[in-house]
Amino acid sequence: MFEHIERVPGDAILGLIEAFKKDTNPHKVDLGVGVYKDAQGNTPVMRAVKEAEALLLKNETTKTYIGSHGAPEYGEVVLPMVLGENSPVLAAGRASATQSPGGTGALRLAADFISTQLPGKGIWVSNPTWPNHHGIFTAAGIELHKYPYVDAENRLDFDGMLAAVKQIPAGDVIVLHACCHNPTGFDLNREQWQQILEVVRERSLLPLVDFAYQGFGEGLDEDAYGVRLLAENLDEVIITSSCSKNFGIYCERTGCLIMVAKTNEQMENVRSQVAIVARENYSNPPAHGGAIVCEILHSAELAALWREELAEMRDRINTLRRDFVEALKPYGLDQKYACVAEQRGMFSYTGLQPGQVDRLRDEFGIYMVRSGRANVAGFSHANLPYLAKAIAAVN
Ligand code: LMR
């Protein structure tokens, strides 16, 4: 039965974790998978999370199933975080939350919902996008297309994007990154979101907004600008949210699929279908991550601590972006890589080419995705001089 099955290469992003571990270079630097790192290169458990877990351990009374939509309390804290405390969408009862195993799980729910309930609709992703978008949507049987996002000079190609979006067949789905675009780090500004809203409305497109990095760009509310604009001005929007990253609970797989419909009645219909999709995929989501988030957001003290820790992470990343460009100055490369300071979130599309990325790995033990995507959180003030020297050597 299995004789014909061929071995395939591992995942290009997750494979970097193993490769990095095996490397014996004492100067090695991990700029691969998108997890936050502190100055020592560790991904620590946030203090607010530790405190919440201690409370959970003490007060937990059951580990029974939490239902296909997950814990209702999780939806109750995530919806206002994503859509805003005073969201008219929430006031109108137009949004439904389904807890999912990470943002990836939410994407898979969205994909299966589209393929079963909106058959024949194509889906449009930015070029480039997170490679797993391709895998998830095609696995669900949806035809995938691309719109331009970055030009040959490694700049946001908004004009190219807008022109392409104007040609998308009416009714198709367009995937947008709410903030901290993965892999490029180039985000839309407010005026550009407004223009996208207008085209999406004109062409009756269905936006699917991937919101994996809320709080890592400019701030929790600032990063939600585009999501809220679309949800408040369109009848239907799909949002895939993640708390795995902004609460640093990656392995707890903590996400949410938010479905915004025109009316409360339609939302309930859609919601009933999402429950079926969840049931058929994994039945019930894991509970622990959502319980941590609820414990934190239900406590004014823990919520304040969490916001403070998140702001520290965001500020550290933004400082390192600027300091990286500074470190390249002595090599005359600061202009070439100036985009790194302008991008937001964990990732930078550096402009490094695959051959240069290979040399950085083989000669210097510096690991990043072959597209030239670097996890900026892997920079540190200790490794910036080494990184700058290595980048100069491959230029
Ligand atoms: C990344 O892009 O590095 C993260 O989203 C982790 C992943 O699952 O790929």
Side-chain angles (χ1 to χ4, degrees):
M1 282 287 220
F2 294 164
E3 297 81 2
H4 68 287
I5 295 174
E6 288 172 16
R7 193 175 308 183
V8 292
D11 181 83
I13 297 177
L14 298 183
L16 291 171
I17 300 175
E18 273 313 298
F20 180 77
K21 263 193 207 149
K22 282 193 199 138
D23 194 323
T24 53
N25 184 337
H27 304 294
K28 66 183 178 177
V29 182
D30 180 10
L31 308 179
V33 69
V35 295
Y36 178 76
K37 289 170 196 290
D38 63 14
Q40 286 71 43
N42 299 319
T43 305
V45 182
M46 292 167 86
R47 280 173 289 149
V49 169
K50 271 284 184 214
E51 288 190 29
E53 284 189 305
L55 290 170
L56 284 176
L57 194 64
K58 194 163 129 225
N59 299 330
E60 193 175 55
T61 53
T62 180
K63 288 206 184 277
T64 189
Y65 293 126
I66 58 170
S68 290
H69 288 294
E73 313 82 79
Y74 182 67
E76 281 160 22
V77 295
V78 168
L79 286 173
M81 183 170 94
V82 170
L83 294 171
E85 291 293 337
N86 303 312
S87 167
V89 178
L90 293 181
R94 293 175 49 218
S96 138
T98 300
Q99 188 177 345
S100 59
T104 307
L107 283 163
R108 182 62 202 225
L109 290 180
D112 286 351
F113 173 85
I114 293 164
S115 98
T116 55
Q117 302 305 311
L118 307 170
K121 302 283 182 210
I123 198 156
W124 295 72
V125 297
S126 60
N127 183 21
T129 193
W130 183 46
N132 213 18
H133 280 156
H134 294 240
I136 292 168
F137 297 125
T138 49
I142 308 173
E143 203 169 294
L144 190 114
H145 311 271
K146 298 175 191 173
Y147 59 83
Y149 199 71
V150 169
D151 69 14
E153 309 294 318
N154 196 29
R155 286 178 311 219
L156 174 69
D157 180 13
F158 184 69
D159 291 346
M161 172 185 181
L162 200 63
V165 175
K166 284 183 179 160
Q167 303 300 320
I168 295 180
D172 270 7
V173 182
I174 175 171
V175 177
L176 299 158
H177 299 225
C179 67
C180 308
H181 184 272
N182 183 1
T184 69
F186 289 119
D187 284 344
L188 303 185
N189 63 30
R190 293 184 173 204
E191 195 188 310
Q192 290 165 335
W193 273 112
Q194 192 67 45
Q195 293 184 60
I196 290 293
L197 165 68
E198 276 150 31
V199 180
V200 163
R201 196 164 26 201
E202 249 167 57
R203 311 253 349 122
S204 304
L205 304 179
L206 173 59
L208 189 171
V209 189
D210 189 347
F211 202 5
Y213 294 90
Q214 184 172 9
F216 279 97
E218 303 285 350
L220 282 163
D221 289 320
E222 292 83 345
D223 292 350
Y225 178 82
V227 173
R228 295 178 188 174
L229 182 77
L230 297 184
E232 288 170 24
N233 289 285
L234 296 170
D235 289 341
E236 287 141 0
V237 181
I238 300 177
I239 303 159
T240 57
S241 142
S242 176
C243 285
S244 305
K245 315 245 179 193
N246 52 13
F247 284 79
I249 47 176
Y250 305 88
C251 66
E252 304 299 352
R253 314 306 301 125
T254 312
C256 192
L257 174 67
I258 298 175
M259 302 293 291
V260 176
K262 188 173 176 184
T263 62
N264 176 261
E265 164 93 14
Q266 287 181 17
M267 180 278 279
E268 292 293 353
N269 297 344
V270 164
R271 180 173 170 80
S272 70
Q273 294 290 349
V274 172
I276 306 282
V277 173
R279 174 72 170 144
E280 289 171 358
N281 270 294
Y282 49 79
S283 186
N284 286 236
H288 189 62
I292 295 171
V293 171
C294 291
E295 195 70 39
I296 294 176
L297 297 182
H298 284 155
S299 147
E301 203 183 312
L302 288 183
L305 176 60
W306 167 68
R307 282 171 187 270
E308 193 185 302
E309 292 185 271
L310 179 61
E312 264 169 40
M313 296 198 277
R314 175 173 64 242
D315 293 346
R316 182 165 172 279
I317 290 176
N318 288 335
T319 304
L320 284 163
R321 287 182 171 282
R322 291 190 293 271
D323 293 348
F324 171 78
V325 177
E326 274 301 304
L328 287 166
K329 236 184 198 159
Y331 303 97
L333 290 170
D334 50 318
Q335 287 306 317
K336 184 162 181 189
Y337 294 99
C339 62
V340 175
E342 289 152 25
Q343 297 154 336
R344 282 294 169 270
M346 280 200 207
F347 303 117
S348 258
Y349 220 42
T350 56
L352 286 158
Q353 299 301 306
Q356 294 174 303
V357 173
D358 292 346
R359 282 191 61 197
L360 287 172
R361 183 194 57 222
D362 297 342
E363 296 170 32
F364 299 92
I366 297 169
Y367 286 74
M368 67 178 80
V369 185
R370 274 193 102 227
S371 60
R373 185 196 84 168
N375 174 14
V376 178
F379 295 172
S380 72
H381 289 107
N383 69 27
L384 280 183
Y386 179 70
L387 281 175
K389 194 169 156 196
I391 290 171
V394 302
N395 258 276

